[in-house]
Amino acid sequence: MDVRDNQWLVLGLMCSGLLLVAMDNTILNVALPAIAAALHPSATGMLWIVDLYSLVVAGLLVTAGTASDRLGRKRFFIAGMVLFGVASVVAAVADTTAILLLSRVLRGIGGAMIMPATLSIIRTVFTDEKERAFAIGIWTSTAAAGAAIGPIVAGAMLERFWWGSVFLTSLPIVVVAVALTIVHVPESRDPNPGRFDPLSVLLSMGSIVGIVYGIKELASHGSATAAVILVAGLALATVFIRRQSTLDSPLLDLSLFKAKRFTAATLSVLLSFFGFFGVVFFLTQYFQVFEGFSPLTTGLWLLPLALASLLVSPLTGAIVRKLGMRIALAGSFSLIAVSLSLFALMGGSADRLIIVLGFVGLGIGASIAATAGAQGIMTSAPPERAGGAAAIQETSFELGAGLGVAILGSVMAAELGGRTIAEAGKAAFFDGLATTALVSAGVMLVTAVLAMLRLPTRDAEFV
């Protein structure tokens, strides 16, 4: 059977894997109070329960993406899904903090195997440029939908069952997706992978984990140790980059960044999620702390964001073809800036209207920027390097989200004077949110201006 005969089924299977990964963190955030009550973790243990998954994913993405090019993307997707399912069972039955942390590590490894494999398989299966753009749009919207669905699913489960049940929701998807993938998804790999370099793997993992963890800790605690870890991560990243330029078969093909389209697309993904996750993180806390919403209700309030993304992301390819990449990116980042600025007006009777309008605008703008970025990354890379390119896209996503929460969190913390949101009170929270939203909006506006000034008018010059 021609792969084009079932390429939309393949897309659905890849999106199912991405959906699980996207739901993971938001499901955990909703379940944290119940986990704390049941397992009584220390403050450090609670911190690791939250952070360990994202650190493992970030550290392994580049390695997993390149390894999937070598060993087979279908194989990696199936292995990642199975590992994710096993980790779900371990988390559900965990009766100690140590076992739950083990499940977080397993889920992180599984997630790192799933994420680049999904996008690289889509790149391989969809050979028509217009269909590929549409497929990547659906893929991108799945990530936003998963983040919004997570709290709804977790909230519904927690109202009826024990906290571990929230992790078992992934099992039916894992079983069905793996069975259908074995039958319907073609295998693909780099026919000439070259020599494997273990030192590059260690440098990649150490640099990304050091940078991500250092940023998070520096933003949260401002300790000297966090600064040292961040500097060490940056130093390892420098060594890693220099080593890649000397290898015949590098783990990360730096020549991809010579194309303006690839570099601009990577920055688009990173910066779109910088503004997106930073402000959404604080508004989620606002719903639960000041409005007293349940996890389920909080998840429902995120639906305008998810629905806007679901509707617009698949249309991004047509938007870029109509307007050109320069106008599309400049317009999307301008819309993100305007939407973020709306949140600075909160503190009155129109708060809920502002939230809905802001979420819709943010969902549209971030989806266009992220989808155009993902399409640009995957189109610029040759098919045999699809896994490595997808890993760069996913790493940009992780770094953008992490930097958004960390940097904007630092701005918010400075405004609150070191107090928690609950301790500071509603008025202080709105003041902090206004400053945070405007800082983020400023970054987005500068990005929009740079897109207009730096990117060529004609897409033919942009490739």
Side-chain angles (χ1 to χ4, degrees), residues 119-446:
L119 196 54
S120 56
I121 289 173
I122 291 172
R123 167 69 175 87
T124 303
V125 170
F126 285 86
T127 55
D128 180 81
E129 184 177 349
K130 291 183 179 180
E131 290 183 342
R132 184 193 306 132
F134 186 77
I136 290 177
I138 294 176
W139 180 90
T140 304
S141 64
T142 301
I149 291 172
I152 298 174
V153 172
M157 296 296 287
L158 289 172
E159 288 183 359
R160 295 170 176 81
F161 307 105
W162 87 110
W163 64 267
S165 65
V166 301
F167 298 105
L168 296 179
T169 55
S170 63
L171 288 184
I173 298 177
V174 168
V175 172
V176 173
V178 168
L180 292 177
T181 297
I182 292 173
V183 177
H184 295 287
V185 176
E187 183 60 280
S188 62
R189 57 170 59 88
D190 184 351
N192 300 298
R195 185 178 177 182
F196 181 70
D197 182 39
L199 181 56
S200 291
V201 172
L202 295 176
L203 289 171
S204 169
M205 293 171 60
S207 62
I208 295 176
V209 170
I211 291 171
V212 172
Y213 182 76
I215 289 173
K216 285 187 174 184
E217 284 297 291
L218 201 60
S220 301
H221 307 294
S223 65
T225 302
V228 171
I229 292 173
L230 176 58
V231 171
L234 292 171
L236 288 175
T238 302
V239 176
F240 172 76
I241 291 171
R242 289 181 176 176
R243 182 169 181 80
Q244 301 316 292
S245 63
T246 65
L247 297 175
D248 293 331
S249 301
L251 181 69
L252 178 63
D253 187 1
L254 298 179
S255 65
L256 292 172
F257 289 96
K258 293 180 181 179
K260 290 182 179 179
R261 184 184 187 112
F262 190 91
T263 302
T266 302
L267 291 174
S268 296
V269 173
L270 189 151
L271 290 172
S272 62
F273 284 110
F274 172 90
F276 183 95
F277 274 93
V279 173
V280 170
F281 175 76
F282 297 117
L283 286 173
T284 301
Q285 294 190 25
Y286 161 78
F287 288 139
Q288 298 185 67
V289 174
F290 296 121
E291 295 291 345
F293 290 165
S294 67
L296 179 59
T297 304
T298 298
L300 292 173
W301 269 94
L302 294 175
L303 280 181
L305 188 67
L307 291 175
S309 179
L310 282 169
L311 291 174
V312 173
S313 292
L315 303 177
T316 299
I319 293 172
V320 171
R321 288 192 296 273
K322 179 70 173 178
L323 302 178
M325 185 70 80
R326 183 178 73 157
I327 300 298
L329 287 182
S332 62
F333 279 108
S334 297
L335 179 57
I336 296 172
V338 171
S339 301
L340 291 171
S341 298
L342 283 176
F343 297 124
L345 303 177
M346 288 180 63
S349 58
D351 285 353
R352 297 192 177 187
L353 177 61
I354 288 173
I355 289 172
V356 172
L357 292 176
F359 274 175
V360 170
L362 187 58
I364 293 173
S367 295
I368 293 175
T371 305
Q375 171 67 6
I377 289 172
M378 299 312 296
T379 302
S380 301
E384 64 271 14
R385 294 295 180 89
I392 293 173
Q393 194 273 347
E394 299 293 352
T395 302
S396 300
F397 164 83
E398 291 288 336
L399 286 177
L403 287 170
V405 174
I407 294 176
L408 298 179
S410 298
V411 175
M412 175 67 85
E415 291 296 307
L416 299 182
R419 296 169 292 175
T420 66
I421 289 177
E423 291 170 345
K426 202 169 185 178
F429 170 79
F430 284 135
D431 289 339
L433 179 64
T435 302
T436 302
L438 291 176
V439 168
S440 185
V443 174
M444 299 300 105
L445 191 58
V446 169

